[in-house]
Amino acid sequence: MCPFFGETMLDAIRLYARQFPNPADGPGDYPVCMGGGLEPERLLAAYSCGFFPWYNADEPIFWWSPDPRCLLLPSKFKLPSRSARILKKNPFRLSFDAAFSRVIEACAMPRAGQEGTWLNTDMISAYKCLHGLGFAHSVEAWADEDLVGGLYGIWLGKAFFGESMFHARPEASRAALAGLVNYLARNGCKFIDCQQATPHMLKMGAEAIPRDNFLKMLGDAIEPAEQSTAFRARRQSLVYMPEDDVWEARS
């Protein structure tokens, strides 16, 4: 069961944050530290310090802080021209936090040519808990009533930490990302953390930057003096209305 979020949990987040090492002192291509659990307080502390968990089910939890770090600034986002044409002709219906559990479970399905997935049952449960607390969020792409693409991540302060995406139809994950960028830009988000550079993200405007630069940007996005605001839960389910270019509460 997920704990209630309040001052006691905020104190726990601060305590866990002090227990993580300085990511700037760690390796850039190997875990900086290992161990611990996936409690919501520890996860939120990790993201606020520049770490994310990535490990296999038969391993201890590894905490990574890659150097360089891949970031997408909302102002730099761009759809490949072919994708833009396809999505303009055949748009998907987009929603925010309408089907988080279905999105993360779809992201956990092994990709073609893979035997397993890093997104194990413990991690799925942990992120579902964070969603219930108002910190993990999803964007969904729909074709009629079918969920055909989506993504999820963590939103703290003015930073969004992307975790995974999936598509069951071509361009559906790109549509979900475009929707996320649209919504985050309207809400003052400074960047989307893509963790590691991939050709897929680089084509859409993401950049690999030195870890030191990322940590400075992270500090600006989650200022210590504003941590009580940065760790404010967001609970809303929205749908994108393309004709008016607005996000509205789902009825």
Side-chain angles (χ1 to χ4, degrees):
M1 180 178 294
C2 297
F4 174 76
F5 180 77
E7 286 301 318
T8 300
M9 188 174 180
L10 186 57
D11 289 339
I13 292 170
R14 290 167 175 156
L15 176 62
Y16 279 124
R18 290 194 293 270
Q19 293 175 358
F20 278 100
N22 183 350
D25 296 333
D29 58 352
Y30 198 76
V32 177
C33 54
M34 59 183 283
L38 295 173
E39 305 88 347
E41 301 94 335
R42 192 193 304 269
L43 280 170
L44 294 176
Y47 283 102
S48 71
C49 292
F51 293 97
F52 61 85
W54 188 23
Y55 68 104
N56 294 317
D58 58 348
E59 298 173 335
I61 298 172
F62 293 127
W63 300 96
W64 296 75
S65 184
D67 189 9
R69 190 79 165 228
C70 186
L71 296 188
L72 174 60
L73 306 185
S75 62
K76 297 288 186 70
F77 174 72
K78 57 184 180 182
L79 279 171
S81 56
R82 179 176 179 274
S83 299
R85 289 195 301 271
I86 292 172
L87 292 175
K88 183 177 181 179
K89 184 178 180 180
N90 298 294
F92 296 98
R93 179 168 58 89
L94 301 178
S95 58
F96 182 88
D97 278 353
F100 182 89
S101 292
R102 292 178 63 186
V103 168
I104 193 171
E105 288 166 5
C107 289
M109 297 297 292
R111 271 45 167 183
Q114 293 181 342
E115 294 183 1
T117 173
W118 60 270
L119 194 50
N120 57 60
T121 55
D122 288 343
M123 293 189 75
I124 291 173
S125 295
Y127 287 108
K128 284 184 178 181
C129 181
L130 284 178
H131 174 67
L133 289 167
F135 296 100
H137 304 278
S138 61
V139 175
E140 301 85 19
W142 305 83
D144 296 322
E145 298 305 313
D146 295 329
L147 179 64
V148 295
L151 56 82
Y152 78 95
I154 308 298
W155 190 354
L156 293 179
K158 297 176 182 178
F160 190 91
F161 305 87
E163 275 297 319
S164 188
M165 60 175 60
F166 85 97
H167 69 272
R169 292 194 185 179
E171 306 299 339
S173 61
R174 283 196 175 98
L177 180 60
L180 176 68
V181 170
N182 178 295
Y183 185 63
L184 293 179
R186 295 163 186 257
N187 286 273
C189 190
K190 294 185 175 182
F191 62 80
I192 298 172
D193 173 24
C194 308
Q195 299 178 351
Q196 296 179 316
T198 64
H200 178 70
M201 293 307 303
L202 295 175
K203 287 180 181 178
M204 292 187 285
E207 298 178 79
I209 68 170
R211 180 171 57 192
D212 287 346
N213 293 7
F214 162 70
L215 294 174
K216 183 180 184 305
M217 293 175 65
L218 179 60
D220 292 339
I222 308 177
E223 299 178 18
E226 300 177 357
Q227 280 195 352
S228 59
T229 302
F231 292 103
R232 175 175 58 86
R234 295 176 172 88
R235 296 186 180 90
Q236 51 189 340
S237 183
L238 307 168
V239 62
Y240 181 62
M241 310 297 289
E243 61 274 13
D244 299 316
D245 190 27
V246 296
W247 291 85
E248 293 186 353
R250 293 176 68 229
S251 57

